[in-house]
Amino acid sequence: MLDDSFHVFDTTLRDGAQREGINFTVADKLAVAKLLDEFGVGFIEGGWPGANPKDTEFFRRAQTELSLKHAQLTAFGSTRRAGTTAAKDPQVLALRDSGAPVVTLVAKSDDRHVELALRTTLEENLEMIADTVSFLLGQGQRVFVDCEHFFDGYRHNPEYALRVVRTAAEAGASVVVLCDTNGGMLPSDVFQIVSEVREATGARLGIHAQDDSGCAVANTLAAVDAGATHVQCTANGYGERVGNANLFSVVPALVLKRGRNVLPEGCLREMTRVSQAIAEIANIAPATHQPYVGISAFAHKAGLHASAIKVDPDLYQHIDPALVGNDMRMLVSDMAGRASVELKAKELGVDLSGDRETLGRIVERVKDMEMAGYSFEAADASLELLLREEIGQPVRYFEVESWRTISERRPDGSSASEATVKLYVKGERVVATGEGNGPVNALDRALRSALESVYPDLATMELVDYKVRILEGTSGTDAVTRVLIDCSDGQGEWTTVGVGENVIEASWTALEQALTYGLLRRGYTQQ
């Protein structure tokens, strides 16, 4: 049953959007809000209405375009200005008119910031807090108060920092959030200060931690251990400077490590999907090594690990990855042993259990190929083709007689590439040519031209990524080229690897395997 006494508060659309490189459109923000709601957070901070046109438009559209099942939309803003009243402050009125049922007010809690940044008195700052909270409550909105720079202020002037907390709570704020705005705190200090504030004020406390010291997640959990019942986080830890407490690290820790039911039933399993979807909207590559949700979070490479996992996966995993919507992956490389290959083969649908001779042969072949420059841990499709070949089930849809490419520079300054491939397909010799903006593109077009009449599903397959790495050779001037090709057919993606003395040779190997594997996925009969 969901624990209604605990708040999971997401601020991706406000604080997370301050990360360098993120520029959400209004449509992006609406899409992210829907994903966060599917994950089951209790509050989604949408931005600062009245401060910029984009956030104002977001709240306007949210009233008709967002139908949230789990979350309440929250508007962010500051307390009223000095020398006026909340009822006359345009910024406060914009919060009232936002349509958001909840408002989060940022308030100064460090006396130095009050006097130097706000340029007002300590007493006036307290009046600004009380007046704004009371006004918005009178408009029917729930109010949270973020005490900016709280921990630094508490260290400098604990008496005043506590007065800010008491003022907010007595004015009617549902939660008073202690903010580590500069991100410099350590977990033991957070635990001590939150404990002291809770005892001194009796207020319901929250925590907002920046990650400048690399401790935002730990600081958030320390605050919860000290009695905080409201955590503010961002998806994937996005945020200004180095970021905020990562929503997708804090929540599973609370649920799986602390036994707190802070999400609706079934929502935790959506975490990996939601994390990756938000990363795509933000146009930031998902962090492969991110805890819980990264593609490498449950990836095992060392042979010693694989041997133990074969007995019991829990021996080298802190949780079952399925709990957070992720999967265990076995990586096969030059560090692999028989157990690694056996488990990886099983993952790919090839049963090698008990076949020590074949396993040993595959292990040695993989190690030799990795010495030559191959890397199979990122190329499952190439590895599966290798496994099938080793067990006597090679995948063959065509036989290559030869291929070549020509690149030319034309008189008008343009350049072009042409490729010719000669194949045997279903017993027939086929010669095809293709032109492209480079030799690899030309080879791809020529190969498709030769095959598509027999295998029409090739038209659904496209190259989505192409990576080249130049590896050092055995002598100072020699080099080996490794190419990774990512393909998609609209239903899934796969990766192949090629290695050669030059980029064209390596690309051909990866390209040939990419199309072969795609045909295998589609279930075509081999020749």
Side-chain angles (χ1 to χ4, degrees), residues 509-525:
T509 301
L511 178 63
E512 181 184 352
Q513 290 190 5
L515 297 188
T516 297
Y517 188 79
L519 294 173
L520 177 66
R521 282 171 54 89
R522 288 304 178 104
Y524 278 106
T525 302

Side-chain angles (χ1 to χ4, degrees), residues 404-408 410 416-420 433-436 438-439 442-443 446:
R404 68 176 182 178
T405 64
I406 301 172
S407 294
E408 63 175 345
R410 293 171 174 168
S417 295
E418 180 182 293
T420 301
T433 60
E435 290 187 341
L443 278 171

Side-chain angles (χ1 to χ4, degrees), residues 349-364:
V350 180
D351 186 5
L352 295 177
S353 56
D355 191 346
R356 291 181 59 83
E357 180 181 347
T358 302
L359 286 168
R361 188 172 67 248
I362 293 171
V363 168
E364 291 307 312

Side-chain angles (χ1 to χ4, degrees), residues 8-20:
V8 175
F9 182 108
D10 180 89
T11 179
T12 304
L13 298 179
R14 199 271 306 174
D15 215 351
Q18 294 176 186
R19 169 175 165 148
E20 184 177 5

